[in-house]
Every structure is written in structure tokens, then in C-alpha cells.
Amino acid sequence: MAQDTRSPQRRTRAATKDGLRSGSFADPAAGSGSERSVDNNVTAWLAKLAAESGWLERTAYADGERSWTYADIHQAIASSATLLAERGAKEGEPVLIATQDRVGFVLAFLGAARLGAIAVPVNPRLGAKDYAFMTADAAPRLVVCEEGLAGLFPDLPVLEANELERDGPSRAPCPPASVDRDALLYGQYTSGTTGKPKLVLHRHSDVAHHAVALRAILEPTPEDVFYSVSRTYFSYGLGNSVLCVLSTGVSAVLQRELPTIDAVAALMARY
């Protein structure tokens, strides 16, 4: 097999040009223009991709002592969306997510997406002043957070991640909302190094481009196991632990605690 000597940047451009037009990594919104469709919803696309690729019985996530298959996670996303809606999440409105790296984050992020809501992941270790700025700026309808953080969001409905993981999968599944290709999927805050943090927004259709780029550069296989030191509220960590995982069929290990040398070494030895 001939070696591809192109730079990663050129390989990505080539993959994006060709890969978005056909095959498993086709743009879920290609050709839809501004028309609303269930097929444009990233959760519908990811679930269909897993089924058609034969990934459903494979492990998607290891979170502590529990493993979640692709079938488990997609069923839980659909059901958790119902619980999010019961607590106030709605189409076109932000849902602030302040959790550790855990399955609860995945259910909150993609459960919001299934409703057509906009996920806004933030650092779960911030203080009241930072959260006050973010909630005033993003104006979320609901906050999903770690146990003990609810008091930092006194004027908003709160759903704790433990409750979402426990009760979300038992709800009736919610069908994916019909959205157009430019519908907002999520927003992430910049670091604020040179001023106030700014919310950077991304669309449902962006995930297909992300998947094509990762496939071209990393060449993941279903036998790969991903672990990300970068947390899911960072752009890099979100790609590593959520978007790349569910769009390529790999498995991921989620670590709720901050990574230390010893903890990371133990995970590498285990997985």
C-alpha cells in the first residue's frame, strides 16, 4: 500500500472535499439548504451511523466501573432528552453543562442536541462570579451540573448529573427535533485571556466535517481506545471524548477526577 506523503493539513482538505459527498461520513445536512429535517439532527445521524456500521454492541464508554455500548448510549441519549425537556430545556435555547468527564456529560450534551437545544459546556470548577457572568451572557433555560453546584445557580432550574444518569435512561425516548443545517448545536467559551470570554457557536452540520478531519489525520479503528487529558468542556477534549468517539466507532475512557500522572498511568495499564 502506497504511503500518503501529504501533510495532515492537505490530507484533511482532500478528505473533506471527497468524504462529505458520499459514504458513512457524508454531511448529514448536505443539500438540505434551509429546510428542516430530522436527518439534520446530529443525534439522528450518529445513531444511524452506529447502526449501519455495526457498532451497536461495541463499547462506547467506560465510566468508572460501568461500560456503555453504542446501543446503550444512543438509547440513553434519546430517553435523557425527555428528562431534559421536563426540566425546561427547549429547542433553540441554551442548556449550561457544568459536569466532570462522565456519561452524564454525554447525555446532557447530546440530549440537548436531540431537542434542538444548544449545549453550553463550561468548567465545573469555576466560582460564583464566573458562573454569574456565563448565565447572564448565555441565558440558559436549564443547568446540568455536579452535585453540590446547584447553589451557584440560584435563579435557574438545575438537574444534577447523577440524577440524569440514574433517571434519564428510564424515560420514554424523545424523537430527534427537525432542524436545518445551520441550527446551532453547541457553544464554548474562549479562555478570556485578553478580555471577557466569548461564546463560540457551532452547528449540527459541523460534526460531519470534524469527523472527516479526524478520520483523515488519526485514522482511528474500532479497536482503538481513546483517553483525553483535555476535559470535555474544552474544544479539544470535546472532540476527543465525544465527537470523535461517536462518529468513528472507537471506545473512550472517561475520568471524572482531574488527571494526575499516577491516575493516567493506571488507566493506560488497565485499558
Side-chain angles (χ1 to χ4, degrees), residues 40-89:
N40 291 339
N41 190 304
V42 71
T43 65
W45 177 64
L46 289 173
K48 181 179 179 182
L49 180 63
E52 292 181 347
S53 302
W55 300 339
L56 292 180
E57 300 308 312
R58 292 177 178 164
T59 298
Y61 288 106
D63 181 5
E65 296 304 313
R66 179 171 179 182
S67 294
W68 298 68
T69 66
Y70 273 80
D72 292 334
I73 206 71
H74 284 297
Q75 291 167 5
I77 288 166
S79 300
S80 295
T82 299
L83 179 56
L84 292 171
E86 291 173 2
R87 295 301 181 87

Side-chain angles (χ1 to χ4, degrees), residues 92-174:
E93 300 289 343
V95 173
L96 195 80
I97 305 171
T99 75
Q100 315 288 2
D101 283 25
R102 57 189 296 172
V103 162
F105 176 93
V106 181
L107 300 184
F109 184 93
L110 290 173
R114 195 166 183 86
L115 295 171
I118 306 163
V120 182
V122 300
N123 188 338
R125 297 176 178 83
L126 298 178
K129 183 178 179 180
D130 292 312
Y131 289 137
F133 165 76
M134 291 174 175
T135 54
D137 180 64
R141 298 274 303 191
L142 174 69
V143 175
V144 180
C145 66
E146 291 294 333
E147 184 179 6
L149 292 185
L152 297 176
F153 306 97
D155 301 320
L156 290 167
V158 170
L159 174 62
E160 292 183 354
N162 286 338
E163 184 180 356
L164 180 60
E165 290 178 4
R166 184 188 69 234
D167 298 340
S170 66
R171 292 296 200 273
C174 174

